[in-house]
Amino acid sequence: MAAHRPKFAADSLTQFWISVPVFILAEANLGILGLGVSEPLPSWGSLLRELEGLTQFPANPGVFVPLLLLIASVISFQVLLMDQEMPS
């Protein structure tokens, strides 16, 4: 009876790896708009809010660290997805 179950584990795993970067970017966008988690808790959007209205390179380039970490995390999930899709 177990042999007749559909084998969708690979498809659901791929869907998971695609969805995680989407959720991360959605949370960052909502946080920038002020619709994310409340202020004492850190979120991608609240960390990136410091970059709003930036017209020139700041004296403290450390404000770009959350942006670089966000880019690195989204790219890492995409690389993991590509590794999952490649047949061995």
Side-chain angles (χ1 to χ4, degrees):
M1 194 78 171
H4 297 290
R5 290 183 184 169
K7 298 182 180 180
F8 59 90
D11 293 336
S12 60
L13 188 61
T14 302
Q15 183 64 34
F16 171 76
W17 289 117
I18 290 172
S19 299
V20 170
V22 171
F23 290 140
I24 291 172
L25 291 174
E27 189 278 328
N29 285 327
L30 289 173
I32 287 175
L33 294 174
L35 300 172
V37 296
S38 59
E39 190 59 40
L41 298 173
S43 72
W44 287 112
S46 63
L47 294 173
L48 294 174
R49 200 174 303 145
E50 296 175 10
L51 296 176
E52 273 185 337
L54 193 64
T55 57
Q56 62 185 10
F57 196 77
N60 180 13
V63 296
F64 291 113
V65 171
L67 178 63
L68 296 175
L69 290 174
L70 177 67
I71 292 169
S73 64
V74 170
I75 288 174
S76 68
F77 277 106
Q78 293 299 321
V79 168
L80 284 172
L81 175 66
M82 288 190 302
D83 288 343
Q84 292 290 326
E85 288 180 350
M86 294 252 183
S88 300

